[in-house]
Amino acid sequence: RRRGGQHVSQGTMMKVLTFAAVAGLAAGFTPMRAPLRRSSLSMGRETEGAAVDCQMPDTVVRRLDKQDMPHISLADGEGIYEFWMSTTVPGGVTKDSMMKIEKDAAKNANFPGFKKGQIPPWAKPQLKAFCVEDAINNAILDAIESAELTALEGDDRKAEVVEDVKELTNSFKIGTPLSFTATVLCKQTLSAEAAAEGAVVDVEVKEEAPAPSSGTEMPKDVALRVKKLESDNAKLVDFIKAQGFEPPAKVAA
């Protein structure tokens, strides 16, 4: 056939059609619950913002800037913040996921030149991409839940992966740990004190007045002995006097 003035061979057309079929079979695993986009942010944000408690293993979550999104309704004390996270997906997760994706995709696979149920080698990278993106999305959602954050809805539900997902997928080996960093917008309820974090707070520190002395500084060994005897006031007074010093007023009393 000719298309746009160019000849398209039957073999090429069959390959395009079958490739689309494989993608269609795996469509149920499309992990776009939180759309992934590459972020231009630097990867060194692990010291920015405030740490967020997250019990998920090998995961760090930090709260960055508060976001102004007036179209989203918020509960009392709730705000929308940008969160930075770093996590590692265990190798067993992608191994099990890939096995399921290939198994389900093979149920209806019927490609010319291949046995029924067999996935062509050239289609497997696409299934691998589904697997990796699904693992990333699930890890982000799990981290959000573990940190007790609330994901946004609809078009506001986005995650930005710092690494290039395509390059990450190409270099990744299914069944090995998958590490990545990402930013995501979420709701979080904070106390008034936590919400004001970063403000300068003046704290008055009262220093205890030095104890009266005879004008001669106690030797170090005497001072240590005094500290040990503070629980027994009578013995302390006798000890201090025996050393030739006047006990402080608060001790002598």
Side-chain angles (χ1 to χ4, degrees), residues 69-229:
M69 303 179 75
H71 64 286
I72 298 179
S73 58
L74 300 171
D76 291 341
E78 194 173 47
I80 300 174
Y81 301 86
E82 180 184 21
F83 293 87
W84 178 94
M85 64 176 64
S86 172
T87 189
T88 297
V89 180
V93 172
T94 54
K95 180 180 179 181
D96 294 343
S97 177
M98 189 63 176
M99 289 176 62
K100 179 173 175 55
I101 290 174
E102 290 183 332
K103 181 178 179 180
D104 288 359
K107 288 180 180 178
N108 298 315
N110 190 9
F111 300 95
F114 294 89
K115 294 180 180 179
K116 187 175 182 180
Q118 185 177 2
I119 304 297
W122 47 262
K124 289 187 177 182
Q126 180 66 21
L127 300 185
K128 179 185 178 184
F130 278 119
C131 178
V132 171
E133 290 193 12
D134 190 49
I136 290 175
N137 276 275
N138 285 334
I140 291 174
L141 294 175
D142 289 345
I144 290 173
E145 181 178 0
S146 178
E148 297 184 352
L149 308 177
T150 302
L152 302 184
E153 301 294 335
D155 293 339
D156 297 311
R157 190 184 181 110
K158 298 180 179 69
E160 294 189 351
V161 177
V162 175
E163 296 82 1
D164 188 306
V165 178
K166 185 176 181 180
E167 292 179 1
L168 187 65
T169 301
N170 291 338
S171 61
F172 176 68
K173 182 180 179 181
I174 296 294
T176 62
L178 174 64
S179 299
F180 69 92
T181 51
T183 58
V184 61
L185 299 183
C186 290
K187 296 179 183 179
Q188 186 182 35
T189 301
L190 299 177
S191 63
E193 292 80 7
E197 187 174 279
V200 177
V201 179
D202 292 327
V203 179
E204 183 180 357
V205 179
K206 295 183 178 180
E207 294 186 4
E208 191 173 312
S213 68
S214 61
T216 305
E217 185 178 354
M218 290 184 184
K220 186 174 181 181
D221 60 329
V222 175
L224 289 174
R225 180 65 176 162
V226 170
K227 190 172 183 180
K228 290 181 180 179
L229 291 175

